[in-house]
């Protein structure tokens, strides 16, 4: 997994609440058996004026000029600023895959849906929760300031604005460590093989019907 | 002093902690892993690349459901990309030794329908699947929740998940649901009350007299939609109904082992005096049949109500979301829901495709025909066995006589990954779980309702209050 330590990134604002994973990556693209290549279809129904299907050359499709990701000032954005309950709905990991594939490395919102939040960490994406009033301010500053960038320091757990304001954020210690070092969760869990086997042995006795 | 009284969720959680890590997160042992074709190929590929084998292949059961055609199945899948995904599942199951109910197996169906139906999911289990509606299985008193593909791979490789305990939330429903008011209406009313993020970070236990009174199928509908309230897991305590439902299912324990299991399962209830982090109370008697009007399940009103005015909503974010939703849905504030006409009707999905749902839909038909203005009514049973059962009861003939289409089992138009979908601008009464933009087809407009409400809308051509139907 790609590690995440520090980022000084251009911010793109998605100014609506409850953005669901069907919006982030519509279901027709879930038919892929690969993990990569979802980037051009990120927010497909909002991003293009035509109906998207897998296998199209997206560079030939008519883009929706009103959608933020298509606006020149947000090209190359690495930080997605969002409203409450971002990533709600389906568990599809294709959502963080699409975000990462399109160049997003971190997200900032007042809240995220649980499964999406979890999926981000498995893919080198950092979801940052900040208070709603702070997020609101960041939205205003982003809209008002072309080229608006934020600095995110995961080790220090701080988001810094261009004016030097510092916003600390919380992150689970295990997830932070994995992200900082780009560690594979499975490898870490397999360090505890003995504990898992011991649990299983005990469980085979107390609940044998689970093992037939 | 810390209370020793435990919630159902606490009990399920603690029973499955295989290891507690230094930072307080745990390795949660997973008893049952359900696998489908959409969220698993990259996980199997990950195993292959790392040279890993499944920890306990027998804990996994696979079924293709999202992509399968509901028409002319014997001819296979026309769409080459869908076909590849289903064939990839078949191949992976053979390679890794996982039991699969293939597309032509009569036991095939929607993963969340066949799990309980086969006794593959049981009370007290931890159940995961790469699908958010895994919360459904909590209806049996299991801890069941959806995971992403990386976690699918993690469970395959280690039988565990790295997890932290969620907060305990209880939704307590007093009273009795009125005639014509179902578990679906209850689920929508709860989401309308607490919002789509109301259960975020929580495991919800549904409890109270109105929940006890629900059939196991009804409890599945309720738990299914816990995720639409933001909660990864929803659950209902074990009672006699649970045991009666599970007994005799193909994968359920028998004989002495059943007795041992039952003894433990009976303890899977919240202790009197256990403390919840938050609690919401509703009165079932005050709930009318529900209809969603917008693009989020929380945008819901009673069928007796009107399309709301976004200008009257609580704050700027809700106002702009409401306006955007109405524009997408092509609705005008103040319109009575019963004046909203539908183009298509979908009866199916992991929310409402079980036998009692099909019976409820058939019961409102009473010899009538679908309205001429309604282009298509799909009835998609949740499994091959439900289809057989419905046909044995003659329900298929009632549907077909009314001009409805009787299909083969799968996820179908809930998310339109197969050929069943809405065209831009089409309006659908759907018994599924999500009314997100484009969910049932690009530009499609979804209104979530119960099976009886969907069938009645198909006959009337617009929403009607099924209680007066």
């Amino acid at each position: 997994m790609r590690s995440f330590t520090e980022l000084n990134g251009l911010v793109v604002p998605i100014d609506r609440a409850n953005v669901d994973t069907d919006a982030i990556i519509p279901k027709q693209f879930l038919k892929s058996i690969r993990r990569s290549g979802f980037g051009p279809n990120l927010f497909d129904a909002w991003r293009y004026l035509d109906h998207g299907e897998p296998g199209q050359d997206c560079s030939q499709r008519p883009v929706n000029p009103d959608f933020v990701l298509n606006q020149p000032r947000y090209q190359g954005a690495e930080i997605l600023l969002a409203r409450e309950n971002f990533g709600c709905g389906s568990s599809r990991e294709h959502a963080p895959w699409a975000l990462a594939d399109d160049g997003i490395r971190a997200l900032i919102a007042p809240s995220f849906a649980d499964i999406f939040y979890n999926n981000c960490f498995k893919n080198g994406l950092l979801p940052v929760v900040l208070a709603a009033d702070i997020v609101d301010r960041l939205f205003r500053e982003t809209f008002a300031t072309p080229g608006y960038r934020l600095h995110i320091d995961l080790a220090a757990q701080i988001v810094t604005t261009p004016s030097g304001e510092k916003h600390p954020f919380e992150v689970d210690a295990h997830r932070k460590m994995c992200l900082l070092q780009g560690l594979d969760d499975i490898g870490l869990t397999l360090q505890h093989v003995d504990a898992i086997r011991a649990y299983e042995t005990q469980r085979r006795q107390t609940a044998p019907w689970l093992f037939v | 002093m810390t209370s020793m009284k435990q919630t159902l969720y606490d009990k399920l959680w603690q029973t499955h902690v295989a290891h507690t890590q230094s930072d307080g997160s745990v390795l949660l042992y997973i008893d049952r892993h359900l696998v489908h074709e959409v969220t698993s190929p990259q996980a199997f590929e990950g195993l292959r690349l790392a040279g890993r084998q499944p920890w306990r292949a027998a804990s996994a059961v696979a079924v293709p459901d999202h992509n399968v055609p509901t028409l002319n199945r014997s001819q296979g899948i026309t769409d080459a990309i869908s076909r590849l995904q289903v064939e990839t599942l078949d191949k992976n199951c053979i390679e890794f030794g996982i039991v699969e109910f293939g597309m032509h197996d009569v036991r095939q169906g929607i993963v969340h329908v066949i799990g309980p139906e086969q006794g593959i999911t049981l009370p007290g289990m931890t159940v995961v699947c790469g699908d958010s509606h895994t919360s459904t299985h909590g209806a049996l008193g299991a801890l069941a929740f959806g995971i992403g593909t990386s976690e699918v791979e993690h469970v395959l490789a280690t039988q565990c998940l790295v997890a932290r305990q969620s907060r305990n939330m209880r939704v307590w429903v007093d009273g009795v649901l009125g005639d014509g008011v179902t578990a679906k209406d209850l689920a929508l009313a709860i989401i309308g009350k607490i919002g789509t993020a109301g259960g975020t970070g929580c495991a919800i236990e549904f409890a109270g007299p109105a929940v006890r009174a629900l059939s196991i199928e009804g409890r599945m509908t309720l738990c299914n939609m816990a995720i639409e309230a933001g909660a990864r897991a929803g659950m209902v305590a074990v009672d006699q109904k649970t045991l009666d439902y599970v007994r005799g299912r193909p994968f359920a324990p028998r004989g002495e082992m059943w007795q041992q299991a039952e003894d433990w399962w009976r303890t899977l209830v919240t202790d009197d005096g256990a403390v919840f982090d938050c609690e919401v109370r509703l009165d079932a008697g005050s709930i009318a049949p529900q209809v969603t009007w917008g693009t989020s399940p929380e945008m819901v009103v009673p069928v007796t109500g009107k399309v709301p005015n976004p200008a009257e909503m609580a704050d700027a974010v809700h106002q702009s979301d409401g306006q955007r939703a109405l524009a997408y849905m092509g609705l005008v504030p103040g319109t009575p829901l019963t004046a909203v006409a539908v183009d298509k009707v979908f009866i199916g999905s992991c929310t409402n495709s079980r036998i009692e749902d099909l019976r409820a839909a058939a019961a409102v038909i009473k010899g009538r025909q679908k309205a001429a203005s309604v282009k298509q009514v799909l009835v998609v049973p949740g499994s091959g066995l439900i289809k057989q059962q419905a046909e044995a009861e003659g329900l298929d003939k009632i549907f077909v006589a009314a001009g409805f289409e009787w299909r083969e089992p799968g996820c179908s138009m809930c998310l339109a990954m197969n050929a069943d979908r809405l065209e831009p601008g089409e309006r659908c009464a759907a018994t599924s779980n999500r009314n997100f933009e484009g969910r049932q087809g690009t530009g499609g407009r979804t209104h979530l309702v119960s099976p009886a409400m969907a069938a009645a809308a198909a006959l009337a051509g617009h929403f009607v209050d099924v209680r007066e139907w």
Side-chain angles (χ1 to χ4, degrees):
Chain A
M1 187 179 76
R2 184 176 180 184
S3 66
F4 185 108
T5 50
E6 269 186 85
L7 173 67
N8 183 42
L10 187 69
V11 180
V12 60
I14 302 283
D15 190 11
R16 54 198 286 179
N18 297 316
V19 170
D20 57 75
T21 53
D22 278 81
I24 298 171
I25 183 80
K27 71 267 168 176
Q28 60 269 34
F29 304 106
L30 272 50
K31 295 178 185 181
S32 171
I33 56 171
R34 297 172 57 224
R35 214 176 255 266
S36 56
F38 295 99
N41 301 110
L42 176 68
F43 297 114
D44 196 273
W46 296 344
R47 192 166 180 172
Y48 302 100
L49 294 170
D50 64 345
H51 169 76
E53 281 296 331
Q56 285 169 316
D57 177 0
C58 289
S59 67
Q60 302 300 311
R61 296 174 59 195
V63 298
N64 173 6
D66 295 333
F67 184 56
V68 283
L69 282 182
N70 292 328
Q71 292 167 11
R73 61 180 284 196
Y74 298 119
Q75 296 312 301
E78 291 176 290
I79 299 174
L80 190 144
L81 186 63
R83 296 287 186 184
E84 65 185 36
N85 201 27
F86 187 87
C88 62
S90 138
S91 65
R92 62 188 69 163
E93 199 158 317
H94 311 67
W97 292 340
L99 286 160
D101 201 53
D102 207 46
I104 299 296
R105 310 249 7 248
L107 303 98
I108 300 176
S111 61
F112 294 92
D114 287 343
I115 304 178
F116 174 81
Y117 183 77
N118 214 26
N119 283 341
C120 283
F121 286 99
K122 315 286 184 193
N123 292 283
L125 281 172
L126 174 64
V128 175
V129 177
L130 293 178
D133 60 324
I134 295 171
V135 171
D136 212 38
R137 192 141 35 107
L138 297 180
F139 265 100
R140 285 199 300 274
E141 290 175 8
T142 304
F143 288 130
T145 322
Y148 187 79
R149 303 176 86 85
L150 288 169
H151 182 265
I152 302 176
D153 181 342
L154 175 57
Q157 297 180 215
I158 290 192
V159 175
T160 308
T161 70
S163 62
E165 266 184 279
K166 294 189 185 300
H167 302 294
F169 61 89
E170 296 294 322
V171 59
D172 174 86
H174 175 79
R175 286 168 165 154
K176 176 179 172 178
M177 187 262 294
C178 288
L179 210 46
L180 282 172
Q181 300 179 32
L183 286 179
D184 169 357
D185 248 0
I186 294 176
L188 286 175
T189 296
L190 288 174
Q191 292 173 359
H192 302 291
V193 162
D194 292 345
I196 301 170
R197 292 224 183 280
Y199 172 87
E200 228 170 26
T201 303
Q202 165 253 320
R203 197 77 179 132
R204 274 179 198 276
Q205 302 193 339
T206 55
W209 63 89
L210 296 172
F211 296 88
V212 289
Chain B
M1 196 185 95
T2 312
S3 166
M4 296 304 288
K5 308 291 185 192
Q6 289 186 305
T7 65
L8 167 60
Y9 172 61
D10 293 337
K11 291 180 184 180
L12 292 169
W13 179 270
Q14 285 186 9
T15 304
H16 290 90
V17 172
H19 176 66
T20 302
Q21 319 209 72
S22 54
D23 68 346
S25 66
V26 309
L27 296 182
L28 191 73
Y29 189 84
I30 302 304
D31 296 321
R32 182 61 79 199
H33 187 185
L34 302 169
V35 177
H36 67 82
E37 79 277 22
V38 178
T39 56
S40 67
Q42 298 86 352
F44 285 115
E45 185 65 16
L47 286 188
R48 214 174 275 123
L49 290 172
R52 290 178 173 133
Q53 284 295 316
W55 181 281
R56 191 157 72 82
S59 71
V61 175
V63 68
D65 57 1
H66 284 61
N67 274 288
V68 298
T70 59
L71 209 55
N72 302 323
R73 181 168 300 177
S74 56
Q75 292 165 28
I77 304 175
T78 318
D79 179 311
I81 311 176
S82 288
R83 189 171 63 238
L84 176 63
Q85 202 166 49
V86 171
E87 288 171 354
T88 301
L89 179 67
D90 297 342
K91 281 187 197 149
N92 282 329
C93 288
I94 291 168
E95 180 181 341
F96 290 103
I98 289 169
V99 170
E100 183 195 12
F101 298 159
M103 195 170 83
H104 301 288
D105 190 316
V106 71
R107 299 169 296 177
Q108 181 272 343
I110 304 171
V111 64
H112 307 308
V113 173
I114 70 157
E117 182 177 79
Q118 290 292 322
I120 291 167
T121 49
L122 295 169
M125 275 183 167
T126 39
V127 179
V128 296
C129 175
D131 191 284
S132 60
H133 291 112
T134 308
S135 58
T136 311
H137 309 266
L140 297 173
L143 174 56
F145 54 92
I147 56 177
T149 298
S150 293
E151 289 180 320
V152 170
E153 185 182 339
H154 196 279
V155 173
L156 284 169
T158 71
Q159 211 57 41
C160 291
L161 278 176
V162 180
R164 279 179 186 277
Q165 196 167 358
S166 302
R167 291 183 301 137
N168 275 290
M169 178 175 189
R170 180 158 67 180
V171 175
W172 182 272
V173 192
D174 276 313
V176 179
L177 289 172
D179 286 343
V181 185
T182 66
K184 179 62 164 289
D185 302 300
L186 175 56
L188 288 170
I190 291 167
I191 296 161
K193 186 179 170 88
I194 69 175
T196 49
T200 300
C202 299
I204 297 180
E205 180 178 346
F206 297 101
V211 174
R212 287 275 135 242
L214 291 175
S215 66
I216 298 299
E217 286 84 352
R219 295 177 191 179
M220 287 185 209
T221 301
L222 188 58
C223 291
N224 172 274
M225 293 196 70
I227 185 65
E228 307 323 325
R232 279 179 92 169
M235 65 199 76
V236 176
V238 171
D239 63 7
Q240 190 58 43
K241 280 186 194 172
T242 321
L243 300 173
D244 292 344
Y245 177 91
V246 171
R247 195 189 301 272
R249 305 243 162 216
F251 284 70
R254 290 167 199 283
E256 234 173 81
M257 235 182 239
W258 168 272
Q259 201 50 53
Q260 192 180 359
E262 180 182 331
D263 289 347
W264 180 54
W265 291 344
R266 284 191 184 278
T267 69
L268 298 177
V269 297
T270 288
D271 296 332
D272 286 338
V275 177
F276 286 85
D277 298 296
C278 52
E279 178 148 347
V280 176
R281 298 181 87 94
L282 281 87
D283 173 28
S286 67
I287 296 170
Q290 305 281 304
V291 184
T292 62
W293 56 267
T295 53
S296 165
E298 70 184 23
M299 296 173 169
V300 64
V301 290
V303 66
T304 50
K306 293 177 176 168
V307 175
N309 187 348
E312 293 164 8
M313 288 178 185
D315 55 65
V317 172
H318 280 91
Q319 287 168 14
S320 69
D321 285 352
Q323 277 159 2
R324 199 158 11 209
L326 286 188
Y328 181 85
M329 294 297 288
L331 292 172
V332 176
T335 309
L337 264 295
T338 49
V340 176
V342 300
D343 302 303
K344 286 184 176 171
V345 174
F346 171 59
I347 298 171
S349 85
C350 56
T351 314
N352 281 128
S353 64
R354 286 167 280 267
I355 190 70
E356 91 173 20
D357 300 315
L358 303 182
R359 288 177 188 147
V364 303
I365 293 177
K366 295 176 186 155
R368 281 172 284 217
Q369 288 285 310
K370 89 172 169 62
S373 57
V374 174
K375 296 180 211 168
Q376 186 178 46
V377 184
L378 289 186
V379 187
V380 186
S383 72
L385 291 171
I386 290 171
K387 181 168 185 279
Q388 276 188 348
Q389 169 80 25
E391 288 170 356
E393 296 179 19
L395 302 183
D396 58 321
K397 294 197 174 59
I398 296 174
F399 291 130
V400 171
F404 296 11
E405 295 176 34
W406 179 243
R407 295 293 188 94
E408 292 179 90
C411 299
S412 179
M413 210 203 274
C414 173
L415 85 169
M417 276 191 76
N418 68 352
D420 309 334
R421 66 186 64 170
L422 299 180
E423 297 302 320
E426 283 184 339
R427 188 180 300 286
C428 182
T431 66
S432 45
N433 39 58
R434 289 190 176 134
N435 51 353
F436 298 156
E437 284 185 19
R439 171 82 178 178
Q440 294 192 283
T442 305
R445 295 161 168 166
T446 303
H447 296 266
L448 303 176
V449 288
S450 73
M453 286 284 289
L459 304 170
H462 55 84
F463 291 107
V464 293
D465 187 339
V466 74
R467 294 171 301 179
E468 295 163 4
W469 181 246

